[in-house]
Amino acid sequence: MKRGRKTNEANSSSSEDTTEKESKRHKVVEEKTIVVQSPDWANLLQDIILQVFQYLPLLDRAHASQVCRSWNQVFHMPDLWRCFEFELNQPATSNLRTTHPELIKQIIKRHSNHLQYVSFKVVDSSKESAEAACDILSQLVNCSLKTLGLISTARPSFMDLPKSHFISALTVVFVNSKSLSSLKIDDTPVDDPSLKVLVANNSDTLKLLKMSSCPHVSPAGILCVADQCHGLRELALNYHLLSDELLLALSSEKHVRLEHLRIDVVSENPGQTQFHTIQKSSWDAFIKHSPKVNLVMYFFLYEEEFDPFFRYEIPVTHLYFGRSVSKDVLGRVGMTCPRLVELVVCANGLRPLDEELICIAERCKYLSAVGLGECEVSCSAFVEFVKMCGGRLSQLSIMEEVLIPDQKYSLEQIHWEVSKHLGRVWFPDMMPTW
């Protein structure tokens, strides 16, 4: 009996040991399962966190960087600082957003050598904001910028600065970058000597130059850029910088084919600006070298200043009139702009443009976008214009108030006729009632 009881006790003890071991094993498995289901976010691979950070706005990214040391390290990785836009204004006088001064200090101290795609947006017209932009530029001595944009959303901004101060700051970037490919410096006091510095250090890489409204640059200065920067593909400038020599330089065998040329023809004081004439042979050489170029021209002239223009064929593709233009000028457009793709006319006075529109439809075989502001047209002529252009008119805009009903079409009928020839539903624009 004693022996049997010992055996039972031994079996019972063995069973308890087995149960205890099994319980411990299940506990370990459960603990491991818990670890798998609750990963340690701080130890995620940095490249994954980096991808998440790239989708966050700067402020959210800064808040996320305070979560842990690992995330803070990602916040300062070079990939996140290659592209940056400095927004500058005076908080004391403006409620617009601005880049915090402490962040600017941190960028200059830790990330100036990482910056590659940079723009400075001065969102007010204060001289102080423009000076702040120049101060930042002058500190980018370790940078290697590929693109630089100086943007003024309100004038005078950069033009209100002493020229020497602006040029000194800009030269720092020109000298130290060495691989600048895109430069946008509209409405700035940039001058010929600073352009020579740009060319001396970045002639092999510069592809885009946008510098409208830069009064200190001469035709010789922009010609220096065209002569040396053979990779230039996009150029925007004022008409007073355009010359026969510049077009021929852009047409040389060494120069790549230009893709985009924008010309701003601007007059601030009627009768006081003398506009020169570009020779037809220069335009011919230019278009022969770059047959697919987009030639964009913006006209802000008074009626009496159009005499030098549209006297012979020019290869313009996109044409915008920001002020009232006469029937005579628009008639010449139809005769001299066979490559025209887009035409926008702000106003033309009170005389209907029937014949002029028909002439444009007949001769401008590539026209696909038209916008007519305060330009009166008879309903019959407008329908005929659309019929001649056909379905290639992807954009067509005209105010209902300037369409003149006639014996053939009323305002109620015209949208059906125009829709039929366009191959899609179309309505004229309506004047806002407020």
Side-chain angles (χ1 to χ4, degrees), residues 235-250:
L235 180 62
L237 66 162
N238 284 84
Y239 184 80
H240 78 273
L241 297 178
L242 186 67
S243 64
D244 295 290
E245 293 79 9
L246 176 61
L247 288 177
L248 294 176
L250 295 171

Side-chain angles (χ1 to χ4, degrees), residues 119 209 230 235 269 321:
S119 62
L209 178 60
H230 297 147
L235 180 62
N269 302 305
F321 293 100

Side-chain angles (χ1 to χ4, degrees), residues 49-62:
I49 305 174
L50 177 63
Q51 291 180 32
V52 174
F53 271 41
Q54 287 174 338
Y55 287 99
L56 295 178
L58 178 62
L59 186 60
D60 293 342
R61 194 187 303 168

Side-chain angles (χ1 to χ4, degrees), residues 236-268:
L237 66 162
N238 284 84
Y239 184 80
H240 78 273
L241 297 178
L242 186 67
S243 64
D244 295 290
E245 293 79 9
L246 176 61
L247 288 177
L248 294 176
L250 295 171
S251 307
S252 67
E253 292 184 2
K254 294 181 180 179
H255 206 286
V256 300
R257 289 182 173 87
L258 208 66
E259 297 174 358
H260 190 93
L261 175 61
R262 169 174 167 164
I263 310 292
D264 289 348
V265 192
V266 182
S267 172
E268 300 293 344

Side-chain angles (χ1 to χ4, degrees), residues 149-162:
L150 302 180
I151 305 166
S152 298
T153 59
R155 295 184 180 184
S157 192
F158 292 106
M159 289 302 300
D160 204 31
L161 297 176

Side-chain angles (χ1 to χ4, degrees), residues 7-77:
T7 300
N8 290 336
E9 289 176 354
N11 290 338
S12 175
S13 175
S14 175
S15 176
E16 289 176 359
D17 290 343
T18 301
T19 303
E20 184 177 355
K21 289 179 180 179
E22 189 69 20
S23 176
K24 288 181 179 180
R25 187 174 69 82
H26 282 297
K27 187 176 182 180
V28 170
V29 171
E30 289 175 358
E31 289 176 351
K32 289 182 178 180
T33 303
I34 292 173
V35 171
V36 173
Q37 292 176 346
S38 303
D40 184 358
W41 292 101
N43 292 326
L44 282 175
L45 294 175
Q46 284 191 337
D47 59 343
I48 298 178
I49 305 174
L50 177 63
Q51 291 180 32
V52 174
F53 271 41
Q54 287 174 338
Y55 287 99
L56 295 178
L58 178 62
L59 186 60
D60 293 342
R61 194 187 303 168
H63 289 157
S65 70
Q66 301 175 16
V67 170
C68 61
R69 181 179 300 176
S70 177
W71 285 28
N72 187 263
Q73 290 174 350
V74 173
F75 178 72
H76 291 290
M77 290 181 69

